[in-house]
């Protein structure tokens, strides 16, 4: 059996030994638009791609740097190649976490020119966790915390078809100018 997957753009991609030359934003946008969050247990389809777009919009609303915006868009990009495993299980899968981190680093290197800083990692996690809270509330009627985490933007949970989410993901990716420093503003202080 092969040790690779065949991507949407017909790349023979080896998830356990990723190389930047094999990573294409078209593959990421396509796959993430078709993968459902929460392992498919929400009340209706909500893709990982739509989640990443909501994270990106939250970073924009918080006036984060272009790097944080791009990191929010790409924070689940490795799932296009290795799928997702729910948080309660992932914590027990050390080898999976190593593969995921290696792949994420290759993706960040390719599209951001290097790894995330500690601030960028923290901000992406804060935004990701805030979106998770609001997704569970929207699609499951469950509050994961007693107090809702702060959000600066209103998440859009109904972004259209898979094809529309894929195209929006590509459009947003192509619109981010990593050289734009006009909105650089660390916002960790916003968090309670």
């Amino acid at each position: 059996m092969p040790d690779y997957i065949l991507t949407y753009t017909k790349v023979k991609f080896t998830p356990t030994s990723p190389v930047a030359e094999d990573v294409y934003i078209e593959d990421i946008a396509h796959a993430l638009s078709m993968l459902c969050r929460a392992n498919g247990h929400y009340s209706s389809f909500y893709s990982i791609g739509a989640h990443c777009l909501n994270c990106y919009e939250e970073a924009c609303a918080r006036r984060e740097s272009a790097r944080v915006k791009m990191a929010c868009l790409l924070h689940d990009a490795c799932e296009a190649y290795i799928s997702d495993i729910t948080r309660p299980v992932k914590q027990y899968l050390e080898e999976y976490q190593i593969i995921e981190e290696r792949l994420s680093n290759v993706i960040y290197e390719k599209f951001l020119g290097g790894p995330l800083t500690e601030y960028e990692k923290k901000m992406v996690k804060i935004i990701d966790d805030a979106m998770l809270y609001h997704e569970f509330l929207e699609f499951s009627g469950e509050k994961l915390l007693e107090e809702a985490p702060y959000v600066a933007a209103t998440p859009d949970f109904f972004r259209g078809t898979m094809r529309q989410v894929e195209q929006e993901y590509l459009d947003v990716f192509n619109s981010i100018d990593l050289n734009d420093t006009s909105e650089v503003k660390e916002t960790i202080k916003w968090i309670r």
Side-chain angles (χ1 to χ4, degrees):
M1 292 305 260
D3 65 346
Y4 61 84
I5 62 168
L6 186 63
T7 70
Y8 174 66
T9 63
K10 308 296 186 244
V11 172
K12 291 178 180 175
F13 189 88
T14 307
T16 54
S17 302
V19 292
E21 297 77 35
D22 292 341
V23 174
Y24 289 90
I25 196 63
E26 293 81 7
D27 287 329
I28 293 168
H30 180 77
L32 295 186
S33 72
M34 297 184 71
L35 293 170
C36 190
R37 291 275 288 166
N39 230 26
H41 290 285
Y42 282 154
S43 60
S44 60
F45 182 79
Y46 176 67
S47 72
I48 296 169
H51 163 76
C52 292
L53 287 165
N54 278 331
C55 289
Y56 160 80
E57 289 173 354
E58 179 65 18
C60 289
R62 292 176 185 229
R63 300 186 59 205
E64 286 295 332
S65 70
R67 278 183 55 89
V68 170
K69 293 173 189 175
M70 183 68 85
C72 281
L73 188 68
L74 295 172
H75 79 280
D76 284 335
C78 64
E79 294 174 17
Y81 302 102
I82 60 173
S83 198
D84 188 21
I85 296 178
T86 58
R87 288 183 184 196
V89 176
K90 189 187 294 189
Q91 66 184 327
Y92 297 105
L93 302 176
E94 187 176 331
E95 191 64 29
Y96 176 90
Q97 291 176 49
I98 292 167
I99 292 166
E100 180 182 48
E101 183 175 359
R102 184 182 314 128
L103 181 51
S104 291
N105 287 338
V106 167
I107 292 167
Y108 288 139
E109 181 69 36
K110 176 161 185 166
F111 296 121
L112 286 167
L116 300 184
T117 66
E118 287 307 309
Y119 172 80
E120 290 165 345
K121 287 179 192 175
K122 185 163 181 101
M123 191 83 287
V124 169
K125 179 157 180 31
I126 288 167
I127 290 171
D128 186 33
D129 287 348
M131 288 303 115
L132 179 66
Y133 174 90
H134 290 283
E135 291 164 10
F136 261 83
L137 190 59
E138 176 68 32
F139 293 109
S140 301
E142 293 287 323
K143 291 183 177 183
L144 297 178
L145 304 166
E146 284 188 31
E147 189 173 335
Y150 171 81
V151 288
T154 302
D156 181 356
F157 296 119
F158 305 97
R159 301 191 88 91
T161 66
M162 293 175 206
R163 184 64 70 196
Q164 289 168 321
V165 169
E166 178 181 352
Q167 188 58 57
E168 184 179 0
Y169 191 100
L170 290 169
D171 291 345
V172 166
F173 174 85
N174 289 319
S175 74
I176 299 172
D177 178 3
L178 292 175
N179 296 315
D180 181 7
T181 58
S182 63
E183 288 195 280
V184 175
K185 177 182 171 192
E186 293 189 350
T187 59
I188 293 249
K189 63 183 174 288
W190 294 10
I191 309 310
R192 297 177 210 172

